[in-house]
């Protein structure tokens, strides 16, 4: 979990209180550095050069550099990196220009010095570095804005990445600026990493790292970018002081991500996101029935406890629903968003804990609403929301279901057909999904999975034949829900091989996910439930392709650690 770095000062140097001095530390990492994922060239899209990237959240920056690895301490930094391949850091590039590949030198041969500067104080978990065969494509400049935005990836995927993200990324930032405060980091770039990246996205300052599973080809998964861009205000700017209050980062960010969707796509889309998120929340709460303190928003960690053990959708979904509850209680968006803006202004550049957030909330509405708003805040069951455990939210949340209704209707039809013995008489066709968006297909599958009785094996196979897209789509969110449904059914063993091939990136129909923990962890858990030996064998044969963080957590899931 890290150890102290002690620097002894000689008494003969006559240091006095308030004396400032510089300390130079020479250090190197070890082959076991948890923060770094090393990829052989065969694991990249181009298969020409090796690749590496970092992931420091939540507590892995300490394996990368000697520093105070806590979000309660923020730092600025400069970096000079000499490399034979392009280098990206979570800072503003000074040289060479981003649009000049490797400074015009030969990749893999010529050494180029990359200079970066991060003038805004950030928590240590936002320190990031990546290097490989990377090229850049700039998004269109937004008139009147000083910041720039673009995408990095391997040359083989740059056009797909540009198409996926170019239409919406700058819209998210401009809209967030209109709601909150100006974007401060100067540049907002996106780096599409190889498949072993363990998260959907990581909000590294100036350069968000994202998984290639977002390249769905239909822009249906760009909400991840809305989320990571929102972190520029919540997390990267106003920051939780420690992991026990992680919901202040993720709850606010998820809330703002959905506000942005509402502004750009309509109020129904905002509520639709909460509907999708609710299923993920319930699954996460069930996951921690044996460790209920991880069901809380504020987690009382003990000394030496790993915050990754509590990593789930709870702080995202429970946190954002808490803020939505407060928004509705206090008078709606027109009342609540000015508060959010004041919250960011008040704690700009600072780290805080939940008690400080709550005190500010009361102070703001006392000044901007008077006793009536304070009385509403007094009515909140604070203990249930912040410290409560259990398998649902403290309050029943009602969402606009207009975008989910046809998905619910189709799921109900399938559920009602479950007792039919002659599947040839079932009234389903591939046209059932015509006009469905990707997210509506997700909701259809999640609704089916939520019913108390699973469909018979005959019906699962009939669904597979009727909607073949479910088993071959390149949209990873749909594939995850499809496998969750079939692997929990009587037909599970018939889909065991397909699910395992998808999770290790050897699927014939799509590139697979091979590393993103949102997908690979539940699939490996399902494989273990069906055939433990097969699950462990599959993991052991492919573990070197996963990031060290994913390896650690999947091994725990499989009972290997």
């Amino acid at each position: 979990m890290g150890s102290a770095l002690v620097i002894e000062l000689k008494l003969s140097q006559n240091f006095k209180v308030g004396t400032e001095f510089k300390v130079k530390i020479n250090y190197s990492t070890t082959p076991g550095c948890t923060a770094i994922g090393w990829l052989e060239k065969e694991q990249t899209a181009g298969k020409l050069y090796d690749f590496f990237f970092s992931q420091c959240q939540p507590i892995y920056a300490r394996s990368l550099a000697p520093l105070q690895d806590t979000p309660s301490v923020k730092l600025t930094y400069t970096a000079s990196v000499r490399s034979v391949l392009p280098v990206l850091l979570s800072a503003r590039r000074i040289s060479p220009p981003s649009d000049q590949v490797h400074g015009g030198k030969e990749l893999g041969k010529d050494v180029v010095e990359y200079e970066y500067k991060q003038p805004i104080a950030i928590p240590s978990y936002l320190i990031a570095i990546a290097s490989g065969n990377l090229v850049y494509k700039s998004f269109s400049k937004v008139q009147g804005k000083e910041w720039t935005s673009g995408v990095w990836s391997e040359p083989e995927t740059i056009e797909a990445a540009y198409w996926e993200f170019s239409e919406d990324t700058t819209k998210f930032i401009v809209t967030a600026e209109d709601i909150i405060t100006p974007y401060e980091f100067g540049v907002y770039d996106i780096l599409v990493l190889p498949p072993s990246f363990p998260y959907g996205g990581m909000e590294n300052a100036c350069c968000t790292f994202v998984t290639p599973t977002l390249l769905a080809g239909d822009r249906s998964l760009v909400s991840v970018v809305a989320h990571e861009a929102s972190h520029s205000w919540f997390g990267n700017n106003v920051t939780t002081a420690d992991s026990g209050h992680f919901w202040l980062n993720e709850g606010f960010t998820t809330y703002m991500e959905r506000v942005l969707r509402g502004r750009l796509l309509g109020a129904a889309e905002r509520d639709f996101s909460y509907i999708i998120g609710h299923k993920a929340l319930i699954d996460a709460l069930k996951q921690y029935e044996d460790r209920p303190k991880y069901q809380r928003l504020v987690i009382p960690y003990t000394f030496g406890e790993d915050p990754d053990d509590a990593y789930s959708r709870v702080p995202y979904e429970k946190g954002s629903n808490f803020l939505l509850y407060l928004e509705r209680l206090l008078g709606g968006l027109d009342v609540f968003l000015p508060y959010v803006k004041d919250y960011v202004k008040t704690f700009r550049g600072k780290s805080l804990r939940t008690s400080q957030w709550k005190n500010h909330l009361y102070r703001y509405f006392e000044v901007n609403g008077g006793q009536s708003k304070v009385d509403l805040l007094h009515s909140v069951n604070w203990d249930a929301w912040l410290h409560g455990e259990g398998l649902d939210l403290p309050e029943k949340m009602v969402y606009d279901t207009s975008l989910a209704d046809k998905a619910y209707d189709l799921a109900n039809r399938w559920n009602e057909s479950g007792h039919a013995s002659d599947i040839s008489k079932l009234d389903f066709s591939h046209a059932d999904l015509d006009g469905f968006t990707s997210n509506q297909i997700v909701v259809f599958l999640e609704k089916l999975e939520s019913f108390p009785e699973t469909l018979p094996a005959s019906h699962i196979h009939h669904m597979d034949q009727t909607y073949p897209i479910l088993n071959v789509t390149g949209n990873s969110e749909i594939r995850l829900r499809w496998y969750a449904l079939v692997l929990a059914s009587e037909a599970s063993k018939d889909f065991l091989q397909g699910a395992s091939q998808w999770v290790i990136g050897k699927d014939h129909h799509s590139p697979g996910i091979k590393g993103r923990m949102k997908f690979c962890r539940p699939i490996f858990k399902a494989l273990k439930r069906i055939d433990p030996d097969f699950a462990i064998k599959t993991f052991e044969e492919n573990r070197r392709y996963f990031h060290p963080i994913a390896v650690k957590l999947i091994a725990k899931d499989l009972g290997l650690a």
Side-chain angles (χ1 to χ4, degrees), residues 454-524:
T454 59
L455 289 173
S458 57
H459 288 58
I460 291 293
H461 285 296
H462 186 61
M463 185 183 296
D464 184 29
Q465 294 167 5
T466 305
Y467 312 140
I469 187 64
L470 300 178
N471 208 32
V472 300
T473 178
N475 187 305
S476 51
E477 297 289 346
I478 295 175
R479 288 287 282 276
L480 174 66
R481 274 65 173 204
W482 169 243
Y483 286 129
L485 177 69
V486 301
L487 293 178
S489 73
E490 297 172 355
S492 60
K493 291 188 177 180
D494 297 327
F495 294 90
L496 198 69
Q497 191 67 32
S500 68
Q501 291 298 293
W502 179 66
V503 84
I504 61 175
K506 296 181 180 178
D507 179 74
H508 294 303
H509 305 289
S510 73
I513 49 91
K514 194 172 57 179
R516 186 178 176 187
M517 293 192 295
K518 177 182 179 180
F519 304 139
C520 61
R521 290 187 69 189
I523 295 298
F524 272 116

Side-chain angles (χ1 to χ4, degrees), residues 145 173-181 263 341:
K145 302 296 182 182
I173 300 173
V174 169
T175 306
E177 285 188 312
D178 290 342
I179 296 170
I180 319 171
T181 59
R263 278 284 182 95
K341 184 174 185 176

